[in-house]
Amino acid sequence: MTAILRQMEDYHYAHLIKTFGKMRSDVVDFLMETFIMFKNLIGKNVYPFDWVIMNMMQNKVFLRAINQYADMLNKKFLDQANFELQLWNNYFHLAVAFLTQESLQLENFSSAKRAKILNKYGDMRRQIGFEIRDMWYNLGQHKIKFIPEMVGPMLEMTLIPETELRKATIPIFFDMMQCEFHSTRSFQMFENEIITKLDHEVEGGRGDEQYKVLFDKILLEHCRKHKYLAKSGETFVKLVVRLMERLLDYRTIMHDENKENRMSCTVNVLNFYKEIEREEMYIRYLYKLCDLHKECDNYTEAAYTLLLHAKLLKWSEEACAAHLTQRDGYQATTQGQLKDQLYQEIIHYFDKGKMWEEAIALGKELAEQYENEMFDYEQLSELLKKQAQFYENIVKVIRPKPDYFAVGYYGQGFPTFLRNKVFIYRGKEYERREDFEARLLTQFPNAEKMKTTSPPGDDIKNSTGQYIQCFTVKPKLDLPPKFHKPVSEQIVSFYRVNEVQRFEYSRPVRKGEKNPDNEFANMWIERTIYVTAYKLPGILRWFEVKSVFMVEISPLENAIETMQLTNDKINNMVQQHLNDADLPINPLSMLLNGIVDPAVMGGFTNYEKAFFTEKYMYDHPEDQEKIEKLKDLIAWQIPFLSEGIRIHGEKVTEALRPFHERMEACFKQLKEKVEKQYGIRTIPSSLDDRRGSRPRSMVRSFTMPSSSRPLSVASVSSVSSDSTPSRPGSDGFVLEPLLPKKMHSRSQDKLDKDDLDKDKKEKKKEKRNSKHQEIFDKEFKSTDISLQQSEAVILSETISPLRPQRPKSQVISVIASERRFSVSPSPPASQSTPPPVTPRTKLSFSLQSNLELNGVSSLEMADIPPPLPLKGSMADYGNLMENQELISPTTPPTTHQRHLPPPLPSKTPPPPPPKTTRKQTSVDSGIVQ
């Protein structure tokens, strides 16, 4: 066939058409079949690619035949009466397929082969391209029928890297805009189609920087000459140019080993599609980004990415559009079903990323649907179990805090999406700045690391090289409004490094003459605040800095800030030791010793020398309020230190006992000085509330009718690992009557006690001990008394809010279905334990069937009750009760007591309970009639 066509002259073609006679349909069928056959032969490559001469010969013959048949179209099928839309459509598709075929892409050949082909055959792409342009303009009023279907093929043609062809064919786009505008007063169909097709074409490898420039220049020239398209046309052109920039960046790094660059470019593209409300393309790139995150184990970022898709959906029965379900894994017919599936997956990823707060928020929204809309109680049950686990994880699981780094990419050597921009990066778990820097410089081996943290000048920004600036920044805590009162550090710590958008970098600056005696007097802080485009973490592990501003902190303000941070640090460490008794003591030792015995820095005495002088007050009368605040913070440090030293005393080893005693002596002097100069502070009840957030196994109170459970008295003394109790046992479960309008209070200070107080205490303890024995005997001998009325007995665990958590292995007391006494040995070694500085509080919860106490369920305790300890004398029970009115003598025993034999009476009178010097406040619990 190629040989026959090659022999045909122009009159042969004309004669061929005449043979069909006046049967118009026969001519249409012939041309349609010919166009389809040519397109198939071109697309299927009859000859191997390296048979250049045969391929070029076939293309030359086909080109002449196509041009001959194009003349037939112009003559017979262009007027209004005879116009054949499908025939013209087939022609354009054939012509574009011919132009874009692989064997005609001369840039893929060697220069020698390219020169031979051009010399013998010319560039056939340019020839057919000019023909396509002329055929388009011949269409006249029929053009609108080819919009938007022909936009894709025309775009494919203009993307061919041949400058003259591009210049000739790009104006076709303006003609298409003009046609649609005249028809509909807008060119929305054309715009949508070119954006969609451009994405696929550029990702497929077509397009370059030169095309972007030509497209911008040629179309802007045409638009600005048009009366109505000047403004809207220019906006459209700028839009497409911006899209091309992002798509070209994306294509450049699409196969790059550096996944972070791929993520950046993907986000640039999807943000663009979000901006122009191209939902289908937006979702497409969301899933590209999500896949990249999963490859890097960035589960938190993957969750946030999927959440963007979920937010496009409604909780409704609306049918799901095809573009919304772009993944085979989602089997959903309605938007509500798809949103449900997405939420399940997002919660799973948040769980893997230890972002339980976010998982809980989504879970609540999903639970609302299960409970009130879907009525799917089985799914609701599973979801609530997960939520319960998430809450427990928040309190009990230690989450490493990531560091944040500011990174500036300066110089023209970087890609456009990085060039001369600053980003805040979220480091990986336990990643140090040195490791992070090494990772950055591996990605840019030619980059030079900058030595300073100040912004560079224009010489570096405009240089051809690559300069990277990297330093650690501190996230600025932004607590949600729901935390309107103090809460546990374990809860707040999440917000210190998550959901943050402001970061700061502080640099000390000296003003005035240096004072060798006190460097704090003129130590100013230059603080730079960086605000990112979005909160971290988010759909990326880094975001661009959108605004930077600087503030100066005066020496006095710096002192206030430092004191506040120190107080918070002491308080947080105390909290940690209360929540986890197994924490090592060394960090606490260093912190406390550095404050109470500041041999190097001089402590807050430097502040006193610098700011509490008459000269400073005279020179800075406006700072009076700030000075008072600083004094207040110094005074507040004492109760925090007192609690820290008390805990340190309980946990310190014998080898470090001299160290602790020295620290106590230093603290005593410090306390006397501070309380004399700045007053005495006591920790308020609101702080107690905050410290009551220990794990569930720490603090319990149980309320239930006395007829349904045994009366129990338990002592839960903290015992150290070497079996030496570190606290007196009186801080355990105590049972006492709820006496109206009666308060029990005792106060004592360990550091200021005298002999008179000691004598009084000894007498009180002897008297109390005799009452304990009476109560003890009465409890066990009154087994014949039956219960005549229902009474509520409150079993209250009263623990100092600052008490360290007990390990499970050391919990001796339990609450079982049988009536038992659990006791702790009297700890003589703990008599000198330092007192807590806060009043003890009581928490009450209703007793559940699956109750856990110190990590042991009540069922386990009922099945395997702990054995009673061997009692050598009544002294073993000496620490069981502490107040003289701990147990009401009128409390009737329960029916369970009949099966329990009373303990053998002691032959020797019990000694008094161990001495304690802890300050105690009133405790209200007991029997409610």
Side-chain angles (χ1 to χ4, degrees), residues 384-595:
L384 292 178
K385 286 176 189 172
K386 283 184 187 175
Q387 276 188 271
Q389 185 61 52
F390 295 157
Y391 277 114
E392 190 170 342
N393 290 347
I394 289 172
V395 176
K396 291 188 176 179
V397 177
I398 295 175
R399 291 182 275 189
K401 294 180 181 179
D403 285 335
Y404 285 90
F405 310 102
V407 180
Y409 298 94
Y410 300 107
Q412 300 299 311
F414 286 111
T416 52
F417 60 90
L418 296 176
R419 190 179 303 154
N420 292 330
K421 292 180 181 178
V422 180
F423 298 85
I424 301 293
Y425 280 75
R426 177 182 169 92
K428 296 180 179 178
E429 290 185 358
Y430 306 111
E431 186 173 37
R432 300 175 306 158
R433 184 175 60 85
E434 293 80 6
D435 300 329
F436 177 78
E437 276 183 353
R439 189 154 59 89
L440 270 184
L441 294 171
T442 304
Q443 297 168 14
F444 301 100
N446 298 324
E448 182 181 332
K449 178 187 164 187
M450 296 177 64
K451 306 295 183 187
T452 65
T453 58
S454 53
D458 291 338
D459 54 334
I460 288 181
K461 289 181 179 179
N462 298 327
S463 69
T464 56
Q466 294 180 336
Y467 298 88
I468 289 181
Q469 186 181 63
C470 178
F471 50 92
T472 305
V473 291
K474 181 184 173 185
K476 202 163 177 59
L477 174 66
D478 186 17
L479 270 180
K482 67 180 179 180
F483 297 119
H484 51 81
K485 64 178 183 179
V487 291
S488 164
E489 176 61 23
Q490 188 76 355
I491 296 170
V492 175
S493 61
F494 170 81
Y495 298 96
R496 295 192 189 281
V497 290
N498 293 290
E499 296 185 16
V500 283
Q501 196 168 359
R502 292 159 64 90
F503 303 84
E504 56 187 42
Y505 175 74
S506 300
R507 189 169 57 175
V509 177
R510 295 198 182 281
K511 291 189 176 182
E513 295 181 6
K514 184 176 180 180
N515 185 347
D517 298 327
N518 194 340
E519 59 182 11
F520 294 96
N522 55 5
M523 177 74 77
W524 288 71
I525 298 295
E526 186 182 272
R527 179 164 296 158
T528 309
I529 311 291
Y530 300 92
V531 182
T532 53
Y534 307 97
K535 287 185 176 182
L536 280 163
I539 60 172
L540 288 174
R541 291 191 73 91
W542 62 91
F543 284 122
E544 186 181 349
V545 172
K546 286 301 181 186
S547 65
V548 182
F549 58 94
M550 189 181 295
V551 292
E552 279 194 337
I553 311 294
S554 71
L556 179 56
E557 290 169 334
N558 182 33
I560 292 171
E561 202 173 272
T562 306
M563 281 301 300
Q564 184 66 61
L565 287 173
T566 305
N567 289 359
D568 289 344
K569 191 173 182 182
I570 302 167
N571 189 31
N572 292 342
M573 192 165 286
V574 165
Q575 289 270 328
Q576 290 170 16
H577 278 272
L578 290 174
N579 290 344
D580 187 353
D582 298 327
L583 278 180
I585 198 175
N586 291 357
L588 181 64
S589 302
M590 293 168 64
L591 176 65
L592 295 175
N593 192 56
I595 295 169

Side-chain angles (χ1 to χ4, degrees), residues 201-241:
E201 293 296 332
V202 175
E203 190 177 348
R206 298 184 180 89
D208 49 41
E209 195 70 22
Q210 186 213 40
Y211 180 80
K212 184 189 79 173
V213 172
L214 280 175
F215 185 95
D216 186 28
K217 181 183 175 187
I218 293 171
L219 284 187
L220 274 181
E221 284 176 2
H222 282 78
C223 287
R224 285 168 179 164
K225 293 175 186 174
H226 195 279
K227 182 178 179 182
Y228 300 108
L229 290 177
K231 189 174 181 181
S232 58
E234 185 171 345
T235 304
F236 161 75
V237 173
K238 293 298 180 188
L239 184 83
V240 174
V241 168

Side-chain angles (χ1 to χ4, degrees), residues 709-716 729-730 732-736 772 775-776 779-780 793-796 812-816 818-824 868 877 879-882 886-888 891 897:
R709 63 153 178 79
L711 186 65
S712 300
V713 178
S715 169
V716 281
S730 55
F733 288 92
V734 292
L735 196 65
E736 62 183 18
H772 289 174
I775 296 166
F776 190 91
E779 285 285 304
F780 281 89
V793 179
I794 299 176
L795 179 59
S796 167
I812 301 174
S813 59
V814 296
I815 298 172
E818 300 180 46
R819 188 188 190 311
R820 287 189 181 272
F821 267 83
S822 297
V823 297
S824 297
L868 286 170
Y877 294 97
N879 68 337
L880 188 62
M881 295 164 257
E882 189 167 296
L886 290 179
I887 300 179
S888 169
T891 305
Q897 294 171 4

Side-chain angles (χ1 to χ4, degrees), residues 120-180:
K120 189 170 184 179
Y121 303 103
D123 191 343
M124 287 183 266
R125 296 176 301 176
R126 190 187 298 184
Q127 297 170 37
I128 189 75
F130 290 170
E131 188 68 25
I132 291 170
R133 178 196 61 184
D134 295 341
M135 291 291 282
W136 171 260
Y137 287 127
N138 289 341
L139 283 172
Q141 61 184 357
H142 300 297
K143 291 175 186 174
I144 191 65
K145 298 173 184 175
F146 295 90
I147 301 171
E149 285 76 16
M150 281 307 298
V151 173
M154 293 294 183
L155 177 66
E156 210 175 329
M157 173 179 68
T158 61
L159 285 167
I160 294 296
E162 211 289 312
T163 306
E164 293 305 316
L165 175 64
R166 286 176 169 177
K167 288 179 179 177
T169 53
I170 286 177
I172 293 175
F173 292 140
F174 175 75
D175 197 48
M176 287 180 162
M177 292 165 62
Q178 198 171 232
C179 288
E180 188 183 347

Side-chain angles (χ1 to χ4, degrees), residues 320-335:
C320 228
H323 71 270
L324 291 173
T325 53
Q326 296 195 8
R327 288 297 173 96
D328 298 333
Y330 301 132
Q331 303 297 326
T333 54
T334 68
Q335 290 200 22

